[in-house]
Amino acid sequence: MRPTGADAYLFPKLEQEVRMTFSAPKPVFDTAIAGGDALGNLPDWDLTDLYADQDAPELASDMEWLEKACADFAADYQGKLADLDAAGLLECVQRYEQIDVVGGRIMSFAGLRYYQNTTDGERAKFLSDCQDQITTFTTPLVFYTLEINRIPDEQLDGLFAENAELNRYKPIFDRLRAMRPHQLSDELEQFLHDQSVVGSAAWNKLFDETIAGLEFTIDGEKQGIEATLNLLTDSDRATREKGARELARVFGENVKLFSRVHNTLAKEKQVEDKWRSMPTPQTGRHLANHVEPEVVEALRNAVVNAYPKLSHRYYALKAKWLGLDQMEVWDRNAPLPETDDRTVDWDAAQKLVMEAYADFDPEMANIAEPFFTKGWIDAGVKPGKAPGAFAHPTVTTVHPYVMLNYLGKPRDVMTLAHELGHGVHQVLAAEQGELLASTPLTLAETASVFGEMLTFRKMLAAAETKDQKKALLAQKVEDMINTVVRQIAFYDFECKLHAARAEGELTPEDINALWMSVQAESLGPVFTFMEGYETFWSYIPHFVHSPFYVYAYAFGDGLVNALYAVYEEGDPEFQKKYFDMLKAGGSKHHKELLAPFGLDASDPAFWDKGLSMISGLIDELEAMED
């Protein structure tokens, strides 16, 4: 189920079918191309901690319980919330939380099975059926947020003061009350809730199934999008060009469909935002992230202003290394001539990441270990499997699951470190309980990017030659540029897209032009752009699944860079403060979480500090040219 409006904040684990934390797309390729068994025994998910299978009696029992629990909840509380005392409201919240746990468990199971093979009709049907049933069951609960937001602030504050256990849930109520100005009537909220399954959720599924089913022909052989995207990282320039042109061909053939998806979702959002009196298309995301618009604007402006000293400077340097006067888009992710082409097998990747985590703190490695030993990671590339990588927290009474498409490149090792960081974060935050564990997107990338940094530093320290160090530094800079510069360019594209859609239907050519306007600005003058690159917006899942999600990557990277600087300064209490921050989940505002480290994201200098770390790495690379 993908709840809309206020319900999206009350059902944090059910948002967007199942709540996934997605990585920025990183190209991978087909296992057969990678050498298959050379990577070792790649793990698959064991989903039995959720349910044994889709016909498990426990799943049927939970579905029955959920239907009755929702109906009983409505019967017991609808029209009565304002009359509850502190103990009564606490019991009400805890009953609601248990409903969230059971519904989240079902949807997690259905969603994870689906993402293992998005082209399997039976799995797609099972997910849709679960969505339909849970949407129907939870419709009577729409009153909950609406009635809470009618209770006067002073009355709620008084109840919080009376009961310490109830007060623990205050952050949830604060977020709900932030939505109060945008709340609709009971009937309209219920309509949006019911309609969501055939609205945005359906368009999301169409997008996923279309992307997973695309076929690309390379040297007479058909392959999927992951294999083709990976060609953009090949050491042979002709191969990279071949991959880029085939991507452009297939995206171009499907651009009308992707344009329809974006037009529809942007218009749907515009309509709902209008009814909710949202001042901007971005407002809902900022409210969900519990971050002030001016903080996001400060981040965006700092990154855009830094384009010349970051991406423009680095890519000019890379063009020199590649012996090119001008770079084409297929050169952006090209490996350096010094790059070692050897793959890292699964056991070696696990050892490297676990040692990096243990060097920071043994407890971090202890938390990460079950992911490898208990079937919590699905690593291999398989037909129909969702592209990219993500970590899904499921519910706080179970454990997270990590999905990868592992092919043994150093970048894949970094992706493992990234997603495992999410997993560690989700395990630690689970002690907050279902309603408070979910971390706003702006903070959700903290542990993942920090885990990447720990792993990168360990790999850098182990580099034996100047060429190895140069290649690692360059790869890290590229990943940072992809995380910060590219994601802010994506954010600007989305802002332009939603603003333009508000003026009327957009043709594919209109969307293409918006895409190119941010690409040229962010990548710099060293690039030229092949015909067809203008359609490359079409495969980015974040634009479809989570509008304006992308700035969270830049927020997280800047935050982690600042955090890592504090760590390198030798704060003896850093590990304790860091674990406390992760354990807080969504129970505290970013200002409160960063205060123990002496950091403040509302200070524009905060972002400059983080960006300076990227600039410093480019300085090191330039110094190697001397």
Side-chain angles (χ1 to χ4, degrees), residues 90-166:
L90 174 61
E91 180 184 0
C92 174
V93 171
Q94 290 173 335
R95 283 177 61 178
Y96 199 101
E97 188 167 37
Q98 184 57 29
I99 289 172
D100 204 30
V101 169
V102 176
R105 187 182 193 120
I106 294 169
M107 288 308 304
S108 292
F109 177 72
L112 292 173
R113 284 184 77 250
Y114 172 72
Y115 279 105
Q116 282 183 302
N117 188 353
T118 61
T119 58
D120 183 334
E122 179 274 324
R123 295 182 187 224
K125 171 179 166 49
F126 179 67
L127 175 61
S128 292
D129 289 346
C130 288
Q131 286 176 317
D132 289 346
Q133 285 182 275
I134 291 180
T135 298
T136 299
F137 297 164
T138 55
T139 294
L141 307 184
V142 171
F143 79 91
Y144 183 74
T145 54
L146 306 178
E147 287 193 25
I148 282 177
N149 278 342
R150 295 192 191 108
I151 301 174
D153 288 347
E154 57 273 15
Q155 181 180 341
L156 274 177
D157 290 340
L159 296 176
F160 294 139
E162 289 178 29
N163 190 304
E165 182 63 14
L166 177 63

Side-chain angles (χ1 to χ4, degrees), residues 255-264 506-508 511 537:
V255 72
K256 289 184 178 179
L257 187 151
F258 291 126
S259 176
R260 173 56 49 218
V261 170
H262 283 68
N263 266 288
T264 302
L506 300 176
T507 66
I511 303 177
W537 53 269

Side-chain angles (χ1 to χ4, degrees), residues 2-13:
R2 184 180 184 274
T4 57
D7 286 321
Y9 303 93
L10 207 53
F11 279 96
K13 294 290 183 66

Side-chain angles (χ1 to χ4, degrees), residues 1 16 47 68 70 91 114 202 226 236 260 283 306 330 374 378 408 427 454 466 489 522 605:
M1 184 184 74
Q16 191 189 303
L47 299 180
K68 185 176 187 303
C70 291
E91 180 184 0
Y114 172 72
E226 295 286 12
D236 178 63
R260 173 56 49 218
T283 299
W330 56 75
K374 295 187 176 181
D378 195 300
V427 168
L454 292 172
K466 178 181 176 181
S522 63

Side-chain angles (χ1 to χ4, degrees), residues 290-478:
H290 206 201
V291 65
E292 300 76 14
E294 57 270 21
V295 172
V296 178
E297 189 66 13
L299 163 64
R300 182 265 172 198
N301 291 341
V303 173
V304 172
N305 290 338
Y307 283 170
K309 70 176 183 180
L310 299 181
S311 50
H312 296 187
R313 183 162 65 116
Y314 173 75
Y315 287 128
L317 194 60
K318 184 171 184 176
K320 178 182 175 183
W321 295 335
L322 295 176
L324 301 171
D325 294 326
Q326 289 287 130
M327 288 174 66
E328 256 292 359
V329 291
W330 56 75
D331 299 314
R332 187 173 62 83
N333 288 319
L336 300 186
E338 297 87 351
T339 299
D340 190 340
D341 287 335
R342 288 178 299 174
T343 57
V344 182
D345 67 33
W346 180 251
D347 288 343
Q350 175 181 340
K351 183 174 185 291
L352 177 63
V353 175
M354 287 291 283
E355 287 181 354
Y357 277 29
D359 289 347
F360 172 73
D361 193 294
E363 179 60 20
M364 182 177 278
N366 290 338
I367 296 169
E369 184 177 7
F371 285 84
F372 295 99
T373 61
K374 295 187 176 181
W376 299 2
I377 299 177
D378 195 300
V381 177
K382 306 162 200 170
K385 184 176 176 181
F390 63 74
H392 175 44
T394 73
V395 289
T396 55
T397 55
V398 186
H399 57 75
Y401 284 91
V402 163
M403 194 196 83
L404 307 170
N405 281 276
Y406 187 81
L407 274 295
K409 291 194 173 184
R411 179 172 284 171
D412 296 325
V413 179
M414 300 301 287
T415 301
L416 169 61
H418 181 104
E419 299 306 336
L420 202 59
H422 278 308
V424 168
H425 194 173
Q426 290 158 1
V427 168
L428 288 169
E431 66 185 46
Q432 293 291 338
E434 196 69 16
L435 295 181
L436 288 167
S438 295
T439 308
L441 294 181
T442 43
L443 296 173
E445 296 299 323
T446 303
S448 55
V449 179
F450 197 87
E452 275 195 76
M453 183 64 77
L454 292 172
T455 305
F456 163 71
R457 291 297 181 183
K458 187 166 187 65
M459 294 173 73
L460 190 65
E464 297 176 352
T465 67
K466 178 181 176 181
D467 282 350
Q468 288 178 346
K469 183 178 181 181
K470 178 181 176 181
L472 284 168
L473 279 169
Q475 185 61 70
K476 185 58 178 174
V477 168
E478 291 197 14

Side-chain angles (χ1 to χ4, degrees), residues 2 15-16 20 22 204 285 441 494 541-550:
R2 184 180 184 274
E15 186 179 3
Q16 191 189 303
M20 305 291 183
F22 286 92
N204 285 183
R285 177 61 63 195
L441 294 181
E494 284 191 275
H542 304 72
F543 303 154
V544 174
H545 288 296
S546 302
F548 307 108
Y549 180 111
V550 289

